[in-house]
Amino acid sequence: MLLYSELLLTKGFTFFGAKDFTFNKTQKNPARISMQKGGLDSDGREFKTAEEMWREQVGDESKKTDWYREGVGYWEGVEASNDGVLGGFGHVSETDIRDSEAFLNGIISEVLPNAANGQRHLVALDCGSGIGRITKNLLIRYFNEVDLLEPVSHFLETARESLAPENQMVSDMHKATNFFCVPLQEFTPEAGRYDIIWVQWCIGHLTDDDFVSFFTRAKVGLKPGGLFVLKENIARTGGFVLDKEDRSITRSDSYFKELFRQCGLHLYKIKDQKGWPQELFAVKMYALTTELPKKVHQTRSKVQANIPAIIK
């Protein structure tokens, strides 16, 4: 979103000339090479490099302003419901939450071991919170406080109503505290407030420069030992897919990893979303730390690579 809703999930496209977007496995740093690889837009047009695409889309201040304005504008026309923010695929919400909860459980037990016995007051930030779907169904059950960040006002108002104390089935020790109606690229968190900053289905609306700028600023919002969780659609071609309608980009795994490197972030854990419809982009979850972890935990799905098709 920047649109911070559940957007990229539904944007599937047929890939043409996928061979043009693969990289040579003998290269020493395929992640950096991936950003020099080509990609497609939603009309099937090919770009030789990500730089070429970004130069065309946001090459001057006026174009960049339009990019973000039109992205928010797209979501302002979407119904504030599960089906709306999930592009008509509201039925995948349960599957999404299930795997996210398993991923979160592992992180809390490994990184925040004193949280289970109540010795740590846990606070999370839900970036691209949309209508509060992830906060309501997951985060508020694990964190004492959750702040929501969402630039689309009618989504945020729906979240505020849904998460009001009288509508909750959780303990009084768990609550939604702050509702920030601010675009991701303009937000700076309070220093040292969050144990986890959860970023899901919204980072595709940020340009590469603003991606790096956001995570660099957001680091200060983490408590000691805190981390980021990024859950996003993945372009399987090694390049990217540009959605011209909602002004977003779906990046490949190697593209993400190069951006993480530029942000000074380190992979703690990575996992594929399972049980996902074949017509949708594959989805990965990344746990990211500001310090180099002793060991990277990785779970690879045995499901074949997903080549997304056009969704009407």
Side-chain angles (χ1 to χ4, degrees), residues 83-211:
D83 245 13
V85 297
L86 292 172
F89 287 82
H91 62 278
V92 305
S93 183
E94 184 176 346
T95 303
D96 164 54
I97 295 296
R98 179 201 65 206
D99 278 23
S100 293
E101 183 163 14
F103 193 66
L104 179 61
N105 262 319
I107 293 169
I108 290 177
S109 63
E110 295 162 4
V111 180
L112 306 171
N114 60 349
N117 55 20
Q119 293 182 7
R120 181 162 176 154
H121 184 85
L122 295 179
V123 184
L125 174 65
D126 182 359
C127 296
S129 63
I131 61 172
R133 182 185 66 89
I134 298 167
T135 291
K136 186 178 183 69
N137 295 300
L138 176 62
L139 299 180
I140 204 166
R141 295 191 284 112
Y142 286 85
F143 294 87
N144 302 102
E145 297 183 66
V146 183
D147 293 343
L148 288 79
L149 175 64
E150 169 59 52
V152 179
S153 59
H154 75 289
F155 284 175
L156 197 62
E157 286 309 307
T158 298
R160 190 191 301 272
E161 180 179 347
S162 174
L163 293 163
E166 61 269 23
N167 295 325
Q168 287 301 302
M169 299 181 66
V170 295
S171 161
D172 292 342
M173 299 293 291
H174 298 258
K175 62 181 180 179
T177 302
N178 296 305
F179 296 80
F180 302 113
C181 193
V182 181
L184 196 63
Q185 74 277 8
E186 297 178 11
F187 182 75
T188 300
E190 176 186 336
R193 174 163 171 76
Y194 301 109
D195 296 278
I196 286 185
I197 296 178
W198 191 280
V199 185
Q200 180 166 344
W201 288 330
C202 60
I203 204 70
H205 284 283
L206 294 196
T207 65
D208 290 351
D209 288 346
D210 284 338
F211 181 115

Side-chain angles (χ1 to χ4, degrees), residues 201-310:
W201 288 330
C202 60
I203 204 70
H205 284 283
L206 294 196
T207 65
D208 290 351
D209 288 346
D210 284 338
F211 181 115
V212 174
S213 178
F214 166 72
F215 279 105
T216 301
R217 292 194 314 276
K219 286 179 188 179
V220 304
L222 292 174
K223 296 178 184 177
L227 46 72
F228 296 100
V229 173
L230 175 69
K231 187 168 186 178
E232 263 300 346
N233 292 345
I234 301 296
R236 292 287 193 175
T237 59
F240 61 87
V241 178
L242 167 68
D243 186 340
K244 295 172 63 178
E245 184 179 15
D246 72 1
R247 296 296 211 163
S248 66
I249 177 177
T250 300
R251 298 172 171 97
S252 66
D253 176 62
S254 53
Y255 197 145
F256 273 122
K257 287 175 179 175
E258 168 57 14
L259 289 177
F260 298 156
R261 185 194 67 80
Q262 292 183 26
C263 296
L265 295 174
H266 306 280
L267 270 176
Y268 175 76
K269 181 178 287 190
I270 180 172
K271 188 175 183 180
D272 295 324
Q273 169 71 47
K274 296 181 180 179
W276 213 233
Q278 286 294 309
E279 66 269 25
L280 301 181
F281 279 117
V283 175
K284 283 184 181 291
M285 294 171 276
Y286 303 92
L288 302 161
T289 63
T290 58
E291 297 180 357
L292 189 65
K294 295 180 180 179
K295 181 180 180 182
V296 175
H297 305 265
Q298 182 165 359
T299 302
R300 292 185 177 273
S301 172
K302 295 182 180 179
V303 179
Q304 291 184 347
N306 176 24
I307 305 298
I310 294 176

